[in-house]
Amino acid sequence: GSRVMSTAGPVYLDYNATAPLRPEAAEAMMEVLSQPANPSSVHQFGRAARTLLEAARETIADSLNVQASALTFTSGGTESNNMVLAGFQTVLASSVEHEAVLAACPDAHLINVDENGVVSLRHLETLLSSFSDQEKVGILVSVMAANNETGVIQPLEHIGLLCRQHKVAFHTDMVQAFGKLEITPEESSIDYLTVSGHKIGAPAGTGAVWCREGRPLSSLLAGGGQEQGRRSGTENLGGICGFAAAAQLARPSTIEHMRLWRDQAEQMIIQH
């Protein structure tokens, strides 16, 4: 039978804003934070930190089905998006993108969406056709994989094919899709992919950019040349190790039970 829901206190459900920190992520972080850890140092503490950093990179790359060497750690989705967008003269973005894209590119050409919030491939085709081959070299199409407010999943495969046909770069903000949808950027004609840690139970202040080999990636921060010169600044190793621990657990196969809980909760709300 149905169990009576406890009314002990408020229940947190706003995972699209941020997910609670996973205990496994907290544990991984505490382990790192209890020792001096600068991956750029050459002594044994630094070398141990470097080993942890690269193991975390492998884990997160594995969950995204990409090469670890193509992954750059950042402070989150906003920085990741800004980093990608900074490299292009012209940006075509969907009208329902996150502020981290729209505010970073106030002059972006907006791609229409239909009444269901899905990008109009026809309008994208029209926009792309209006540029000369010379102009297309500096164009980036930016469309999120899943919308943070509506949950709508965009047709990335079709958008990617269109971008390939027109020889323009394609970026997708996967902050909401990471850990929920199967991701195969190498096969999906995606050139840039951005993710954030705190949506999957890692701490806020962690994120990453994947960039296809041969594509440019602008550095926003000058400094000591960390992250292959793509992002200077001593790496947030505790956060990154927490990010990796969460990435190992946040797999599409493991969220099926959450889908059931959500559907049951919706039914209960409707019935009452």
Side-chain angles (χ1 to χ4, degrees), residues 17-38:
T18 196
L21 187 68
R22 287 178 185 267
E24 296 87 351
E27 202 177 316
M29 290 171 71
M30 285 313 296
E31 223 163 287
V32 175
L33 297 174
S34 64
Q35 55 196 330
N38 183 340

Side-chain angles (χ1 to χ4, degrees), residues 33 103 138 146-147 164 232 254-255:
L33 297 174
N147 190 279
R164 277 284 170 276
S232 288
T254 61
I255 68 147

Side-chain angles (χ1 to χ4, degrees), residues 60-105:
I60 295 164
D62 182 49
S63 68
L64 290 166
N65 294 311
V66 297
Q67 288 288 318
S69 59
L71 206 61
T72 303
F73 287 122
T74 67
S75 65
T78 297
E79 185 193 341
S80 297
N81 287 343
N82 274 260
M83 197 173 175
V84 172
L85 298 162
F88 292 87
Q89 284 172 306
T90 308
V91 173
L92 275 60
S94 85
S95 56
V96 293
E97 288 304 302
H98 190 273
E99 288 87 347
V101 167
L102 297 179
C105 292

Side-chain angles (χ1 to χ4, degrees), residues 1-269:
S2 65
R3 285 178 298 173
V4 176
M5 291 290 280
S6 160
T7 53
V11 176
Y12 184 80
L13 297 170
D14 195 8
Y15 279 50
N16 278 15
T18 196
L21 187 68
R22 287 178 185 267
E24 296 87 351
E27 202 177 316
M29 290 171 71
M30 285 313 296
E31 223 163 287
V32 175
L33 297 174
S34 64
Q35 55 196 330
N38 183 340
S40 297
S41 301
V42 293
H43 47 60
Q44 79 180 68
F45 297 99
R47 289 199 301 273
R50 167 67 54 189
T51 303
L52 285 172
L53 177 70
E54 296 313 324
R57 198 187 307 277
E58 287 284 347
T59 299
I60 295 164
D62 182 49
S63 68
L64 290 166
N65 294 311
V66 297
Q67 288 288 318
S69 59
L71 206 61
T72 303
F73 287 122
T74 67
S75 65
T78 297
E79 185 193 341
S80 297
N81 287 343
N82 274 260
M83 197 173 175
V84 172
L85 298 162
F88 292 87
Q89 284 172 306
T90 308
V91 173
L92 275 60
S94 85
S95 56
V96 293
E97 288 304 302
H98 190 273
E99 288 87 347
V101 167
L102 297 179
C105 292
D107 301 331
H109 299 257
L110 297 184
I111 311 158
N112 295 340
V113 295
D114 65 17
E115 66 275 12
N116 296 316
V118 179
V119 161
S120 162
L121 295 167
R122 187 175 292 174
H123 187 230
L124 174 57
E125 172 78 86
T126 304
L127 283 173
L128 288 170
S129 301
S130 68
F131 293 97
S132 69
D133 287 350
Q134 212 172 351
E135 288 171 316
K136 284 177 185 174
V137 178
I139 290 179
L140 176 76
V141 171
S142 182
V143 178
M144 56 172 33
N147 190 279
N148 50 306
E149 291 178 24
T150 62
V152 166
I153 297 167
Q154 299 293 353
L156 297 187
E157 295 285 339
H158 298 295
I159 296 168
L161 285 172
L162 212 47
C163 290
R164 277 284 170 276
Q165 283 165 16
H166 287 270
K167 296 185 173 64
V168 299
F170 177 34
H171 161 244
T172 185
D173 169 338
M174 283 218 163
V175 169
Q176 290 298 345
F178 185 29
K180 302 184 187 99
L181 300 178
E182 267 312 325
I183 299 170
T184 51
E186 294 281 8
E187 296 157 34
S188 307
S189 305
I190 294 166
D191 296 304
Y192 299 94
L193 178 153
T194 47
V195 288
S196 172
H198 75 105
K199 308 289 185 184
I200 62 164
T206 55
V209 178
W210 172 76
C211 172
R212 185 179 289 279
E213 200 180 338
R215 286 287 184 186
L217 189 60
S218 302
S219 172
L220 298 177
L221 301 171
Q226 288 87 348
E227 293 296 288
Q228 300 176 56
R230 298 181 191 136
R231 189 201 189 260
S232 288
T234 300
E235 296 89 347
N236 169 17
L237 190 62
I240 288 166
C241 289
F243 189 5
Q248 256 177 322
L249 298 162
R251 302 281 172 139
S253 56
T254 61
I255 68 147
E256 275 311 305
H257 65 281
M258 288 194 188
R259 206 188 298 272
L260 292 171
W261 288 349
R262 180 201 60 193
D263 294 347
Q264 283 174 347
E266 280 184 10
Q267 284 309 115
M268 283 165 66
I269 291 164

